[in-house]
Amino acid sequence: MNRTRCACSAWTRPPIIAQRKGTIGAKDNIFWRNTSTPIPTECDSQILHDFLPPFTATAVTHLEKGGWNVKGKTRMDEFGMGSMTANTQNGERVVNPWAGGERSAGGSSGGSAVVVAAGEVEGALGTDTGGSIRLPASYCGVVGLKPSYGMVSRHGVVSYADSLDCVGVLANSASDTLRIFKAVSYPDPNDPTCASARARQRAADVEMQTRRRIRGLERGRLNGLRIGLPIETHLPPDQTPLPLGPLLKHLQALGATLVPISIPTIPLCLPAYYVLACAEASSTLARFGGGWYGTDSERKAREEVRRAGFGREVRKRIIAGTWALTAGAFNNSYLKALQLRHNLRKDYQAVFRAPHPLTSDLETPDERGVDVILHPTAIQTAPLLPSADNNPSQPPSTRTTDTAEYAQDILTVPASLAGLPSVSVPYGVSETDGWPIGVSLTGQWGMERLVLDVARVGVETHYEAGQAAHRHVRDGEAGLE
Amino acid sequence: MHAVDQGIKQESSRPNIENSSGAEMQRDPIATNGFLDIDSQGDFEGSTDSQPLRVRIQQIQIEQDTAKTTRLNDGSVFVDLNRAGSGLMEIVTEADMRSPAQAAAFVKKLQAILRRLNASDGDMEKGSLRVDANVSIHRAGTPFGTRCEIKNLNSVRFMQQALDYERRRHVAHYLAHPETAIRQETRGFNESLGKTHTLRTKEDAEDYRYMPDPNLAPMVIADVYLDRLATDLPELPGAARHRLAAEYGITHTDVDTLLSLDEFNGQGIQYFEAVVKGTSSTDKHLDGKKAVNWITHELLGRLAQREESWDAQRFPAQYLRELLCMTENGDITGSSAKNLLKHILEQNNASGQLDIGSIAKDLGLLAQGSDELEELCKAVIQKLPKEVESIRKGKVNVVMRLVGEVMKDSRGTADARKAKDILLGLIEQNKP
């Protein structure tokens, strides 16, 4: 493995500090007001070009208070819309640093994943609406946590889809991820959807109960852990870049029990997600465009500001979302998607052992239920970057299909719609192309610590063993020459 | 009341709020199926249309205010975004009102309740309360025709004018085209022309694109909160009117005067009851009618003369009560009490500690005791021998001339009736 250590394409502006230790990157949709060297928050959109945020996001404020220094802002798909970090302000491409070759870092938090993978920072903040942290984490070989909805304040984070947006963490290990997550996970009166101290306490109580049943966790074992494997995430071999078998054997060897489960709504999640996310985006992005009153010429100017200021993908999602909310389409698109999300949440709740901490009466645990749900994060390793003649600024007819890009989210959107914590952690590299691939662990609401501990004890040990073996083979080959 | 609400936001092509949406929860109102009773008495000011009426409230929902628009006659529109995002309450009635006067009575009563509950200052001009009124007409015995909505009416008077104009417009339409339904429209009201005009028709109605607002968490209204509201509810104006009339025999007009003194906290009523009842249960009750007359005529009248407005501390209830008690006991005459009140208000120090009795004494306003009065009478008899002679000769009415003199000498503190009796007695006794 020759990890290229260059992350120059991942920063929006050259980093103002050099060292790695104690520094973090922040995705460019998170406000950071740096008075000494002002750096704009642009969401990689022309419409926010040179926008200097008036305050710092709550999450970043917590990190700064905890002694972290923000090293810079990281590139992203415009307003978080994309899975490749290719929908950028000037069509500039963010390159995956894993190995040689023009591979995508994934998106939309691709910049954050790259600066972590390249070792320029200890960790980075990203946002995840439908997989935007976990997918780049998988492609770049790092750990990416999408916390439970409401765990990290969204105050000072530019909205994409308010009911799905989560601020999360990317880092090189599960323990670093946990450390940074703990530093940003607090109640915030400035974000009405941010979980209260009381809700957090309830979640901590439920987690404590769960941990008591997983006796081995503190000693590097998984005895008592029940891992659910949803039948719906078992995809054909061409969509499974790395077989799960060896990892599952490793988990069993550590004492975990594997349980086949079914979440029947998973196959319908992708269309539901795109309807809801686009509908909300049509609302949240309506605020950009200058004044809304005035003469006809001012009105035309506003139309022009939006036409030129938003990129192609953003314009497309705004139009699609606007349509989904029109009187004619509402019942059959938006309401249907909402109903599906409701059903999905019920499906998830039916498989967990621990009760949802925010239900009014905490039921007794269902001993046949599972503690975490496991499946691959992505259906492929990092895809090739769109080539120059496949540039987003080119007419659509010359581009590869958007559907292929959307399909990358198929395994990440269920946890987003359900509002559950989900971490992607590398479990190996593909035997065919040598690129990394992540596995996702999803837990009950509020169980970030549990999923990260399982990632550390169960998956990272497997990955390290695999890497060591790989090195051994490679060194052996080298020795033969 | 409904226990859980979910905020809904609307998108429109003319967003004017920070996140470009107004939120409301049409699908999940906080309350449904209420009513507001409008009495035959009191609620209809100067109207012949005064049948009791129950207006049903279909629902109450919370919305996010977008902005306040002010249209000028030259067509320019001013937008005040200062209220954008603040909560507003939309109260939707059923179609239960049959005339502009009924609508006016409803709005005024609602306004009074909102003020008494401190829910809103109800100021229509400032935009704290606005009315959207729907109008449809019918021939007796046939169903109502198509309705038109007049938006954003900003005074009760303009609402009545708009409703009346709209009613006439509908009548004219159906007289000219009996077979064609009037076009369903949203209309505005031009105050200077007194006419309504088309804002938009059903065909070009805006698609508001409602969706739940994920940033508004469901609002859970606990039962204990509702219970507390119910017990803390102040006496509403309608209830006060009935109770005060029954308890003290005062008129609705008097109650309305007391209510108008403080629509928000009901201090006028409290003041009146403190004057009548005092502060402890052993205090004797004064006559309610007399008390309200003193408040409305003497106190408010005098304040109005001085171009002052009333507040409870200007002349605290305990002092007015003391003054009324003194007149009832005969310690001071009515006219002296009025002078005393005038004096105290002029001194502008009524809010400090006052000793009404000693002020009255210092000013020599206390009613004359019998001995002093007799001395005064004797002096007058001596002063006016001619008139005394006339009385002795049988011209008894001349005694009033002597009474007048006694009043003058006592500077109005003497009881005229008593003085007359004493004078006649003395003249009789001292016949030569």
Side-chain angles (χ1 to χ4, degrees):
Chain A
M1 275 321 100
N2 321 309
R3 276 203 189 185
T4 55
R5 291 280 162 183
C6 175
C8 13
S9 64
W11 299 107
T12 63
R13 301 285 189 281
I16 53 172
I17 30 182
Q19 80 265 28
R20 172 181 187 273
K21 191 152 174 46
T23 60
I24 53 148
K27 191 177 179 180
D28 204 23
N29 57 353
I30 299 172
F31 283 9
W32 175 45
R33 186 166 188 266
N34 181 31
T35 41
S36 56
T37 318
I39 290 185
T41 293
E42 298 174 328
C43 299
D44 243 305
S45 180
Q46 285 285 347
I47 211 161
L48 282 176
H49 188 71
D50 279 345
F51 168 68
L52 291 174
F55 59 93
T56 295
T58 305
V60 176
T61 306
H62 281 308
L63 282 175
E64 289 183 329
K65 276 188 196 147
W68 295 85
N69 289 307
V70 178
K71 190 162 180 171
K73 306 300 293 296
T74 59
R75 307 299 296 267
M76 57 187 283
D77 284 303
E78 184 177 5
F79 287 108
M81 298 183 183
S83 307
M84 309 270 275
T85 314
N87 302 327
T88 53
Q89 206 179 144
N90 303 310
E92 281 176 56
R93 303 173 313 163
V94 173
V95 183
N96 192 324
W98 179 264
E102 298 268 277
R103 290 232 187 178
S104 161
S108 61
S109 309
S112 288
V114 167
V115 297
V116 169
E120 298 209 351
V121 287
E122 284 197 63
L125 291 182
T127 60
D128 188 316
T129 305
S132 285
I133 285 175
R134 291 160 285 159
L135 194 67
S138 178
Y139 289 171
C140 294
V142 300
V143 178
L145 171 71
K146 179 204 93 74
S148 314
Y149 181 77
M151 267 307 161
V152 181
S153 166
R154 291 186 292 122
H155 180 63
V157 178
V158 180
S159 296
Y160 162 15
D162 285 321
S163 77
L164 296 160
D165 292 345
C166 292
V167 176
V169 180
L170 297 104
N172 273 306
S173 68
S175 52
D176 281 354
T177 307
L178 181 60
R179 199 155 52 92
I180 299 170
F181 168 71
K182 277 182 176 170
V184 295
S185 175
Y186 290 100
D188 182 7
N190 287 322
D191 173 2
T193 62
C194 190
S196 64
R198 195 166 151 266
R200 287 161 197 271
Q201 188 54 53
R202 287 175 75 118
D205 293 346
V206 173
E207 183 166 21
M208 183 88 86
Q209 275 179 20
T210 307
R211 273 175 184 281
R212 266 192 228 117
R213 289 188 297 265
I214 309 165
R215 300 173 301 278
L217 212 48
E218 306 307 320
R219 305 186 314 273
R221 299 277 303 169
L222 297 175
N223 302 71
L225 179 74
R226 291 171 62 83
I227 300 175
L229 306 169
I231 182 88
E232 292 78 10
T233 60
H234 190 81
L235 299 174
D238 66 324
Q239 290 180 9
T240 311
L242 180 65
L244 275 179
L247 171 65
L248 298 180
K249 284 204 187 78
H250 177 72
L251 294 168
Q252 274 179 314
L254 287 170
T257 308
L258 304 180
V259 186
I261 56 167
S262 175
I263 299 177
T265 32
I266 281 183
L268 290 169
C269 280
L270 201 58
Y273 164 76
Y274 275 100
V275 167
L276 293 175
C278 292
E280 291 186 27
S282 76
S283 165
T284 56
L285 297 189
R287 70 189 62 162
F288 301 107
W292 291 96
Y293 280 87
T295 59
D296 279 352
S297 64
E298 283 171 286
R299 196 164 290 215
K300 285 203 180 69
R302 182 183 78 236
E303 286 168 11
E304 193 46 41
V305 163
R306 285 170 70 78
R307 190 179 297 119
F310 288 133
R312 174 182 165 275
E313 183 64 28
V314 173
R315 289 200 306 271
K316 189 171 80 176
R317 294 196 194 188
I318 290 174
I319 297 291
T322 302
W323 177 82
L325 291 177
T326 52
F330 185 79
N331 287 346
N332 223 5
S333 58
Y334 183 82
L335 273 191
K336 283 259 165 68
L338 216 53
Q339 181 63 43
L340 197 126
R341 168 153 74 179
H342 185 72
N343 294 344
L344 175 78
R345 288 179 173 180
K346 281 202 295 196
D347 282 359
Y348 265 108
Q349 288 312 314
V351 301
F352 280 124
R353 175 150 67 166
H356 194 299
L358 301 187
T359 47
S360 46
D361 311 300
L362 290 180
E363 319 135 38
T364 46
D366 173 7
E367 291 308 333
R368 286 164 310 167
V370 300
D371 301 307
V372 293
I373 295 166
L374 181 147
H375 52 75
T377 304
I379 55 172
Q380 61 191 53
T381 54
L384 287 173
L385 274 171
S387 56
D389 60 356
N390 206 0
N391 189 294
S393 59
Q394 296 295 308
S397 56
T398 65
R399 285 167 50 88
T400 48
T401 62
D402 291 334
T403 331
E405 190 176 340
Y406 295 164
Q408 295 178 76
D409 296 336
I410 197 154
L411 294 169
T412 52
V413 294
S416 291
L417 289 173
L420 299 173
S422 188
V423 61
S424 175
V425 54
Y427 73 101
V429 294
S430 157
E431 279 155 17
T432 47
D433 64 13
W435 283 74
I437 186 79
V439 69
S440 282
L441 296 163
T442 303
Q444 180 56 284
W445 191 90
M447 307 254 172
E448 284 79 5
R449 285 166 188 78
L450 179 71
V451 294
L452 286 169
D453 281 350
V454 174
R456 175 175 55 82
V457 171
V459 187
E460 286 184 343
T461 51
H462 173 72
Y463 180 75
E464 280 151 20
Q467 289 296 90
H470 206 88
R471 267 198 302 277
H472 182 73
V473 169
R474 201 181 57 189
D475 294 348
E477 280 166 358
L480 282 177
E481 279 170 11
Chain B
M1 293 294 286
H2 295 215
V4 176
D5 287 296
Q6 175 67 57
I8 304 278
K9 66 176 168 180
Q10 83 185 39
E11 302 303 322
S12 83
S13 61
R14 228 179 46 171
N16 46 16
I17 191 171
E18 178 257 333
N19 69 347
S20 84
S21 65
E24 63 177 286
M25 42 188 179
Q26 213 165 35
R27 283 160 193 271
D28 292 296
I30 62 164
T32 48
N33 295 323
F35 62 86
L36 185 60
D37 279 336
I38 296 175
D39 299 343
S40 51
Q41 298 166 306
D43 287 332
F44 294 95
E45 282 171 29
S47 166
T48 51
D49 186 356
S50 61
Q51 287 302 301
L53 171 71
R54 168 163 291 193
V55 177
R56 289 168 298 157
I57 310 284
Q58 188 187 79
Q59 66 177 48
I60 297 178
Q61 72 231 16
I62 308 294
E63 304 184 355
Q64 259 181 43
D65 206 350
T66 49
K68 175 189 162 193
T69 55
T70 308
R71 278 164 208 281
L72 298 192
N73 290 332
D74 65 2
S76 55
V77 181
F78 286 84
V79 183
D80 178 0
L81 288 167
N82 286 312
R83 279 215 318 263
S86 57
L88 72 81
M89 172 165 61
E90 179 151 300
I91 302 168
V92 186
T93 75
E94 299 284 356
D96 286 344
M97 288 161 273
R98 294 288 172 267
S99 67
Q102 287 187 344
F106 171 78
V107 171
K108 280 184 189 156
K109 180 144 193 180
L110 184 65
Q111 204 171 28
I113 290 173
L114 292 174
R115 285 175 178 161
R116 187 64 188 93
L117 295 176
N118 276 299
S120 164
D121 66 13
D123 188 326
M124 295 184 71
E125 206 155 328
K126 279 199 299 189
S128 312
L129 174 68
R130 288 277 162 101
V131 175
D132 297 344
N134 285 281
V135 176
S136 64
I137 64 163
H138 71 149
R139 235 177 248 287
T142 63
F144 279 100
T146 305
R147 71 186 164 86
C148 286
E149 182 177 24
I150 315 164
K151 293 291 257 190
N152 218 14
L153 295 161
N154 65 6
S155 85
V156 173
R157 190 166 59 91
F158 288 145
M159 178 189 72
Q160 283 182 275
Q161 285 177 12
L163 290 174
D164 197 53
Y165 177 87
E166 190 63 10
R167 177 179 68 84
R168 288 169 199 278
R169 191 178 72 88
H170 284 226
V171 171
H173 169 87
Y174 285 112
L175 288 176
H177 314 282
E179 301 306 319
T180 335
I182 199 163
R183 193 166 56 163
Q184 186 173 339
E185 281 182 348
T186 302
R187 297 177 69 86
F189 181 65
N190 183 318
E191 291 140 22
S192 41
L193 299 176
K195 289 179 175 177
T196 64
H197 55 268
T198 304
L199 286 177
R200 50 183 185 268
T201 61
K202 198 186 173 194
E203 288 73 40
D204 56 33
E206 272 187 79
D207 185 343
Y208 285 111
R209 307 202 299 279
Y210 289 106
M211 69 182 278
D213 186 339
N215 287 326
L216 297 179
M219 188 161 66
V220 179
I221 303 169
D223 285 344
V224 285
Y225 176 71
L226 288 181
D227 292 345
R228 205 176 69 221
L229 282 186
T231 50
D232 291 354
L233 209 59
E235 184 178 48
L236 294 179
R241 195 180 280 134
H242 287 295
R243 183 177 66 81
L244 295 182
E247 215 169 297
Y248 304 103
I250 62 178
T251 66
H252 285 299
T253 317
D254 286 336
V255 182
D256 287 343
T257 308
L258 294 174
L259 284 169
S260 70
L261 291 178
D262 175 10
E263 290 186 272
F264 295 92
N265 300 308
Q267 286 199 50
I269 306 272
Q270 288 164 24
Y271 184 87
F272 164 73
E273 296 204 275
V275 170
V276 174
K277 289 186 184 170
T279 48
S280 91
S281 55
T282 53
D283 288 346
K284 79 165 189 172
H285 281 209
L286 303 182
D287 178 47
K289 282 186 205 161
K290 187 175 171 189
V292 84
N293 282 338
W294 268 83
I295 293 170
T296 55
H297 298 139
E298 300 310 323
L299 179 57
L300 297 181
R302 189 67 67 188
L303 287 174
Q305 254 174 25
R306 298 173 51 81
E307 298 183 346
E308 281 183 57
S309 61
W310 177 88
D311 84 74
Q313 292 312 309
R314 183 64 181 89
F315 186 65
Q318 63 186 97
Y319 300 135
L320 184 57
R321 179 176 164 82
E322 209 176 319
L323 203 56
L324 294 188
C325 285
M326 285 169 70
T327 63
E328 279 199 5
N329 296 339
D331 296 337
I332 189 169
T333 63
S335 57
S336 296
K338 288 170 190 173
N339 283 334
L340 186 56
L341 176 61
K342 179 173 177 241
H343 170 80
I344 293 171
L345 292 178
E346 276 165 1
Q347 296 302 304
N348 264 328
N349 60 359
S351 53
Q353 282 292 319
L354 282 185
D355 183 342
I356 301 283
S358 59
I359 296 173
K361 196 174 164 202
D362 292 349
L363 295 175
L365 289 173
L366 284 178
Q368 297 296 320
S370 307
D371 290 351
E372 291 166 64
L373 190 55
E374 201 167 321
E375 290 307 309
L376 272 174
C377 290
K378 279 179 184 165
V380 168
I381 287 169
Q382 299 233 315
K383 207 158 62 177
L384 302 169
K386 265 191 202 165
E387 282 78 1
V388 173
E389 200 54 36
S390 304
I391 295 165
R392 288 200 174 119
K393 283 178 179 161
K395 290 186 176 171
V396 180
N397 282 342
V398 178
V399 78
M400 295 320 290
R401 167 85 183 76
L402 278 76
V403 170
E405 199 62 22
V406 170
M407 296 306 287
K408 202 172 94 187
D409 290 354
S410 74
R411 289 184 319 201
T413 63
D415 185 321
R417 190 183 303 266
K418 268 190 201 163
K420 185 183 165 193
D421 291 347
I422 292 170
L423 284 167
L424 288 174
L426 285 171
I427 293 167
E428 185 64 26
Q429 271 175 33
N430 301 332
K431 263 186 186 163

